[in-house]
Amino acid sequence: MTSDEQTLLNHYNINTLYPTAWPIEKNESDASGDEQSTNTTKRLAHSRSKSRYSALIRNGSDRRSLVPGSEKTGDGIENLVQKDEPDPLGGPDSVVRILRQKGLPVEEDQRLRNRFLLSSTTFSPTLYLSHVHSDASTQSLLRGLESLSGSIDQKSASLKVLVESNFERFVRAKTTIDNVYAEMRNQGADTPVAELPRTRSRITSKGSAHFRNSSAQGPFSSRGVDKPLPSDKKKHALVKESEYGVQGIKAPLIEVAVKAEEIWGPALGGRAREESLKSAMASVEECREIFEVGPALSSCIKRKGYDSLVDEYRKARRFAEEARATANQASGGRGSLTDSQVYRVIITARMWSGVENQIDEFKREIWRRLVNVEAPPPPSAGQNTPDEPMALIGVLLELGVEDNPIWFWLLSRYDYLKTKIAASFERSRVEIEILRRRLANAGPPPLRTIIAHLKGPRDSASHDKTHHLDTPAVLELWDLIHSSVCYLLSTAGGLLGEVIEFWDKAQAFIDGKTQRTLPTGLDGQSEKHHRLSTDGIKDLQKGFVELIEILRDSVFAFFAEPPIEDVSMLYSPLPSTTPTTPKSAVFAPFAHQDSRFRFDASNPPPPSPKHGEAWEDFAFWPPHANALSGIHYLDKVLSLVGTAAMELGDLRPVSSSSRVQDGLKTLINGTRERCVSALAAAWIRDAEMFHLMETFARSNDRRELTKLPAYFLAFEKAVLSGLDRLVYVPDVTSKAGSSILITPPTSTTLKLIRRDFTKTIYVLLSDMIKDAEKHSSRNNTLNLQPMDTASLSLYDSLDDAKGKSQSTRLLLTMSNIKYFQTDLIPQLITHFETSFSLKIPEETRTIKDALSQIEAKLFKSYTGPSAEKLASTIYNGITSPNWVPTTDRPTELRPYVYEALLQLVYIHTEVSTTAPPLLHAIISHLFERIVGSFLDAIRARTDRYSLPALMQATLDVEFVASTMSQYTTAAAGALQEEVYRELDQRTDKSARARLQKELPDMRAILKKLREGTRGEFGCFKRTRAKT
């Protein structure tokens, strides 16, 4: 910056050469001394009380500075300190420029700059030399000292000449002024003015700062005239006691004013009233909008027009601010108010008072509604809109409140949900227990009903299975359990959905998304409520986690704990009209007051009887329910639990807390284990009832079987499939991230399922054996009698039961066991291993061994009597004395052979028509017994066999062997050879030689005999395959 530019800045007292606005301090022109004096007087008038004669007070500070470049302070008073000055040591012509070059902010900091300027009283020589002449040499400082001394001498000489030339003038003017003022002040005093000294000493004048101060110290000062003046001129003296000379005319003026008021007051009053009424009417018309604000505001509150209400409130606030500004302007001395303005201020104040009362009452009502607002119902309900809480919060923020409505609503919502979860759970738990007790005390259903429901998986249609699962009472309790859990854990209309919605809204407030749509209030006064504190956010997260834990603990307690004993919660029904508060609203799901849960407090439902049943330990299992209904409903319930845990696991407060996640794992896994345990117990109980299903009615698909295997297979597959869904929860595990909360089933659970799977098969097989062995004979062989009355009641018809003979029932049982061994059990084992991805070799081997033992036992029970009868026939025939032929060459069979073969024909017919797959095994076994009987009978004869006896024995054995050739086994062949060896041993050599010669003729006889008995024994002939 050049010296010319700096000169311009100093001359015009500005900071830049290119100003954008006129400086405020230059609004008062220096050229108008009178205006400046007037402004100074006004400022003094504001700082102290002003008398009516204050215009007579002289101000000694009204002299204006004649120093070019002088500055003004903040209050406009000039001082002799310039903005810049040359170096007093004879250096550069700008001290400020040097300091600016050294980096000091002297232009911005006035106090710092004054410490470097010689004309300032705060000038610091040390600071000046250390910065302006920091690099000056001694010689340059000495030259500067000489320059400074010469400058001081020059200025001192000029001042001396000026004082000496004008001193006498100053003294004479000062003395004259003092004398005139003293005469006016002491008018009417006793002391003559002539006695006052005429001159003042030079020292006194020199030490006086003002003539008023000097005169106050003389004999004419106020301290010298404190006593009352005796003269009448005293009232015209310029003293305070005479009110500075106006006391003489004040009383007459007052008397004239009173007289004028008495005479002209009545005449002028009517016109004044007229003018007053006109002014009032004009003011009312002018302030019509102010009068209309209150009624409009009341109308908006009644019709809940929140937007219009806010507009009216803004209008009222604007009127109030205008009136306040008008009143403040008048009270600040910046003018007086007209009558219309005063009237407007008054009515505005009254209007604002009424508006504030209405708004305060409206705010209290909004607070109450904000506390009591419930979760938004489905759109069809139409009670509360989803935006109602936000609308109420927006109104409060728009009107302005001290408390934060956002935080207030979140806290009230938290308290509401916490109370609702606890109350709803306890209510549901008691209602379930009431139905459970009634069902338990009613006893088990009839056997026919139980069997009909166990047939459900095979008989019921695929599109309508539910009503075939169990009795209506059991299904009713299952539905109540499912609906209760659904109300707690459903995300659509359940408490879990409300909890998640609460967190979503809280998270939106935490992130600041919701606040974007909320108003900031008048002048932004509600903007502070848009931000939630860090502690508040932490409290929200803790509260949300607490709600989750309450919900989790409630559900887990229902499944893990035994049935409750106290049902007194339902003793007293809720009143018909309940106030809408959060605590009463929690019973909304039960407001219908179902008649099923109404009972007299003096006669509550009795506790469930204790018979040692497995279901007595499970609060969630209906008494006497079968496994099929349990699978159907527990699958839904466990899917709800798993889905709820997954929904909660995805939320930030849960995913970031390992403790909460462990709690959700415990909920899922613990509930799963309890459900599996209850289902397994019912599974065993149902298997024990399956043997009653046997009616020996033939299967439509396989006539050699009854319907029992198909029913059992369908039942087992249904139970295994249901257990598979309960153990692995496929509806939940298919979702991403499910492995975090849903762990694989424990070894204990799988071991329980394996054990009960094997046990159900054992139970059915053992019951089948017991039914087959009823009324057995002493020799432990089967002697099946007609079934008892309980069994007969389960038959398709009584005639069907009577038509089943003992042997037929035994054959069908053997056929069923054979089907179990070859087909059904392998299917079930494969289904089990596929469902649970678990091999069960030990169980498979054990089941197969048991089936083999059962099959052998039943086979022996059926074939034993027939085998003994055949053996007796053969033995009696061979050992008979008439067995030995009377001719040398026998050509006929003995009668016992026909009798034994006819017995086989009867057995063949019975087996082939009842259980064809068993025919070969049974006939082969009996043929072995026949050959063995031949051997025993031949050995039983004590005499030796002659040639005719040898030929007869050979003919009988060969005929039976050739007739039963289709059923010959290795054991039978070995026994037949043993028969021939025994015959050889019991004959001589000559007989054997002669027999060899007779063999061709014997073959011809055998052929003739076979052709002759083709009709009787054709059933034993091998059937040729049809081409």
Side-chain angles (χ1 to χ4, degrees), residues 502-540:
F502 164 72
W503 175 247
D504 290 339
K505 294 199 174 195
Q507 187 64 52
F509 281 118
I510 293 173
D511 297 337
K513 297 179 181 178
T514 306
Q515 289 89 324
R516 298 172 186 170
T517 61
L518 294 176
T520 58
L522 300 172
D523 301 330
Q525 61 180 347
S526 297
E527 189 174 0
K528 60 182 179 180
H529 297 321
H530 284 207
R531 296 180 299 274
L532 297 179
S533 63
T534 304
D535 294 337
I537 294 174
K538 291 181 180 178
D539 291 340
L540 280 177

Side-chain angles (χ1 to χ4, degrees), residues 3 160 261 274 412 433 451 521 541 580 599 699 736 784 809 814 1000 1011:
S3 60
K160 184 177 180 180
E261 180 66 23
E274 180 184 0
S412 62
E433 179 59 22
I451 297 304
Q541 293 175 344
T580 306
F599 54 85
S699 173
L784 295 179
R809 281 183 256 159
M814 292 171 59
E1011 289 178 357

